[in-house]
């Protein structure tokens, strides 16, 4: 029996986008205006709540509409036709029209803002307004016309038209008896009935469109998340870009340590005394009464670094004082460039006094 072995190259899966997008990529896409959004949701909300506002503010709008005609016929059409009267007439018509439509406009604006806020929150970006040649590329435009998204939009439109047509037909068919009897009722009753039927149709259609828009938003969110996925290599590259290559960062830190060590070694000749352990620790102290409130540690090190500090100190004639408790306390409590704490004042003062005495200084 012969056996066959198939080699599987795992690298072919490295570029598959199987991972959820990182917060950094989401933020970058948001700055570009790329978010999960359904353009149909605000429009559906506006349609639904506009017809609901007709139902809520119907009495107010009827009163303003009646007043508009009463004022126009009584105060303007029976007066002399002059330029001031015409200006006053059109000014009044504009004001009355705005007052008539103000509730509907207010509801529409608030609902439009709410529909967008529920999807994307608060977002300000000018990136979509930038000139991009890819938007006027005929080939890209053709791809958008015949792509999957264009087909989905086409089928969504057909579905909406079909559902809305069925609802309108069913509603009118159910009201056919009442509609045929309109010839025997008064004009106000006819207007009231037609207005009620129109509002009822508008609310039904708006409610249906809101449901379809919510479904569309869920699909848009799914499609957006799918297109936003990243491969494992993308995540690694993003991490390297944001945090830096670990190898390069290690070299930078090593170089920074060497530079800090070099600066520290250059400060040792300025020290007044080196406190030693004597083999494990070495701490260089400096005190200048004109510039410092307390003695300051200008260099410190342990083991090999302590040996180097002592060697430099000997080359420049700096006095070395062995004081094991003080050396351990200074090494653990005080960083380079810091002044010594108050609890070590007495011990350091005694050491400096002895050093100054040896050097023949009077402090």
């Amino acid at each position: 029996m012969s056996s066959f072995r198939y080699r599987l190259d795992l690298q072919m899966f490295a570029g598959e986008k199987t991972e959820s997008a990182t917060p950094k990529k989401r933020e970058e896409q948001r700055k570009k205006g790329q978010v999960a959004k359904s353009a149909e949701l605000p429009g559906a909300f506006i349609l639904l709540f506009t017809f609901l506002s007709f139902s809520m503010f119907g009495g107010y709008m009827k009163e303003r509409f009646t007043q508009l005609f009463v004022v126009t016929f009584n105060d303007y059409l029976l007066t002399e036709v002059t330029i001031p009267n015409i200006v006053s007439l059109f000014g009044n018509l504009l004001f009355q029209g705005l007052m008539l439509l103000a509730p509907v406009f207010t509801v529409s604006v608030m609902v439009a803002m709410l529909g967008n806020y529920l999807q994307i929150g608060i977002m300000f970006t000018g990136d979509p307004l930038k000139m991009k040649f890819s938007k006027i590329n005929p080939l890209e435009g053709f791809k958008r016309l015949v792509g999957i998204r264009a087909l989905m939009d086409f089928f969504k439109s057909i579905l909406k038209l079909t559902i809305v047509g069925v609802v309108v037909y069913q509603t009118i068919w159910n009201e056919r008896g009442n509609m045929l009897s309109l010839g025997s009722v008064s004009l106000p009753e006819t207007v009231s009935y037609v207005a009620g039927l129109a509002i009822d149709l508008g609310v039904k259609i708006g409610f249906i469109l809101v449901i379809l828009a919510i479904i569309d938003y869920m699909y848009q969110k799914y499609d957006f998340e799918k297109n936003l996925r990243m491969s494992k290599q993308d995540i690694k590259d993003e991490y390297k870009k944001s945090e830096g290559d670990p190898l390069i960062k290690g070299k930078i830190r090593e170089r920074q340590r060497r530079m800090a060590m070099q600066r520290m070694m250059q400060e040792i000749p300025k020290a007044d005394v080196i406190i030693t352990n004597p083999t494990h620790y070495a701490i260089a102290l400096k005190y200048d009464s004109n510039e410092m409130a307390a003695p300051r540690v200008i260099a410190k090190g342990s083991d090999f670094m302590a040996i180097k500090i002592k060697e430099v100190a000997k080359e420049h004639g700096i006095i070395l004082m062995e004081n094991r408790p003080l050396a351990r306390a200074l090494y653990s409590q005080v960083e380079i460039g810091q002044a010594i704490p108050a609890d070590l004042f007495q011990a350091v003062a005694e050491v400096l006094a002895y050093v100054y005495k040896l050097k023949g200084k009077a402090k």
Side-chain angles (χ1 to χ4, degrees):
M1 180 181 293
S2 61
S3 61
F4 297 92
R5 291 185 179 181
Y6 296 94
R7 290 191 177 184
L8 182 62
D9 187 4
L10 296 179
Q11 292 297 323
M12 64 184 297
F13 299 104
E16 290 189 2
K17 299 182 181 296
T18 58
E19 306 300 316
S20 299
T22 60
K24 184 176 185 297
K25 184 174 182 180
R26 293 180 184 275
E27 184 65 25
E28 291 176 352
Q29 294 297 315
R30 186 176 179 83
K31 290 180 180 178
K32 296 178 181 178
Q34 302 295 325
V35 291
K37 177 184 176 183
S38 172
E40 300 176 3
L41 192 59
F45 274 134
I46 291 174
L47 179 64
L48 174 61
F49 283 93
T50 297
F51 277 97
L52 288 176
S53 66
F54 283 145
S55 179
M56 294 171 58
F57 301 105
Y60 166 83
M61 298 180 72
K62 177 182 177 182
E63 179 182 350
R64 301 299 304 191
F65 192 72
T66 304
Q67 184 178 0
L68 173 64
F69 278 95
V70 170
V71 171
T72 301
F73 282 105
N74 290 342
D75 297 345
Y76 292 98
L77 294 185
L78 299 179
T79 60
E80 184 181 359
V81 179
T82 61
I83 293 179
N85 288 341
I86 293 175
V87 172
S88 177
L89 170 63
F90 280 98
N92 181 70
L93 289 175
L94 178 62
F95 175 75
Q96 294 294 338
L98 290 176
M99 293 299 295
L100 174 67
L101 299 176
V104 179
F105 284 161
T106 303
V107 171
S108 299
V109 172
M110 293 179 62
V111 169
M113 296 175 62
L114 180 64
N116 284 285
Y117 177 78
L118 291 176
Q119 294 186 85
I120 61 176
I122 299 176
M123 183 179 68
F124 298 98
T125 177
D127 190 86
L129 302 178
K130 293 180 180 178
M131 180 64 181
K132 296 180 180 178
F133 291 101
S134 60
K135 294 182 178 180
I136 59 176
N137 187 346
L139 182 60
E140 293 295 329
F142 180 75
K143 289 181 179 179
R144 286 194 292 268
L145 288 175
V146 299
I148 299 298
R149 185 176 293 273
L151 291 176
M152 289 294 297
D153 292 338
F154 174 75
F155 284 119
K156 283 191 299 184
S157 300
I158 295 298
L159 178 63
K160 286 192 296 184
L161 288 175
T162 302
I163 295 177
V164 170
V166 169
V167 171
V168 172
Y169 172 79
Q170 189 68 33
T171 302
I172 294 178
W173 181 256
N174 293 336
E175 294 290 331
R176 66 186 183 279
N178 295 327
M179 295 178 69
L180 292 174
S181 64
L182 290 178
S184 60
V185 299
S186 63
L187 180 61
E189 292 179 351
T190 301
V191 172
S192 177
Y193 172 78
V194 173
L197 181 61
I199 292 175
D200 182 57
L201 274 174
V203 171
K204 287 181 179 179
I205 294 172
F207 184 74
I208 292 171
L209 292 181
V210 166
I211 294 177
L212 294 177
I214 292 175
I215 297 174
D216 179 66
Y217 171 71
M218 295 172 64
Y219 169 76
Q220 296 293 342
K221 188 174 181 63
Y222 163 78
D223 187 60
F224 178 77
E225 293 292 335
K226 181 180 178 182
N227 294 330
L228 206 64
R229 287 177 185 171
M230 305 171 66
S231 65
K232 296 182 183 297
Q233 187 61 41
D234 291 337
I235 296 177
K236 291 179 181 179
D237 293 340
E238 182 186 280
Y239 177 79
K240 288 182 179 179
K241 185 177 179 181
S242 59
E243 301 294 332
D245 192 327
L247 182 60
I248 297 177
K249 289 178 66 176
K251 292 182 178 180
I252 292 175
R253 285 195 295 266
E254 180 62 27
R255 185 173 182 180
Q256 290 174 342
R257 282 195 295 268
R258 288 200 302 267
M259 293 176 64
M261 186 184 304
Q262 185 177 2
R263 288 194 299 269
M264 184 185 73
M265 301 303 288
Q266 292 174 351
E267 292 292 320
I268 294 175
K270 303 176 184 178
D272 293 317
V273 64
I274 306 295
I275 308 296
T276 65
N277 192 26
T279 56
H280 295 293
Y281 301 121
I283 298 92
L285 295 178
K286 177 178 175 59
Y287 179 61
D288 186 343
S289 59
N290 295 325
E291 299 179 358
M292 305 175 186
R296 185 174 300 167
V297 173
I298 61 174
K300 71 174 185 177
S302 61
D303 300 328
F304 176 76
M305 184 54 60
I307 296 174
K308 297 292 293 183
I309 291 174
K310 288 186 287 186
E311 289 178 355
V312 175
K314 291 178 181 178
E315 292 176 1
H316 293 82
I318 308 299
I319 298 176
L320 277 68
M321 293 287 298
E322 179 181 343
N323 189 324
R324 298 187 178 187
L326 181 58
R328 286 195 296 267
L330 288 172
Y331 186 85
S332 60
Q333 298 181 29
V334 189
E335 298 297 328
I336 298 173
Q338 291 183 350
I340 63 172
D343 57 340
L344 298 179
F345 278 177
Q346 181 65 32
V348 173
E350 292 177 358
V351 171
L352 290 177
Y354 179 74
V355 170
Y356 294 149
K357 182 177 180 181
L358 291 179
K359 292 183 176 180
K361 296 182 178 180
K363 292 286 184 178

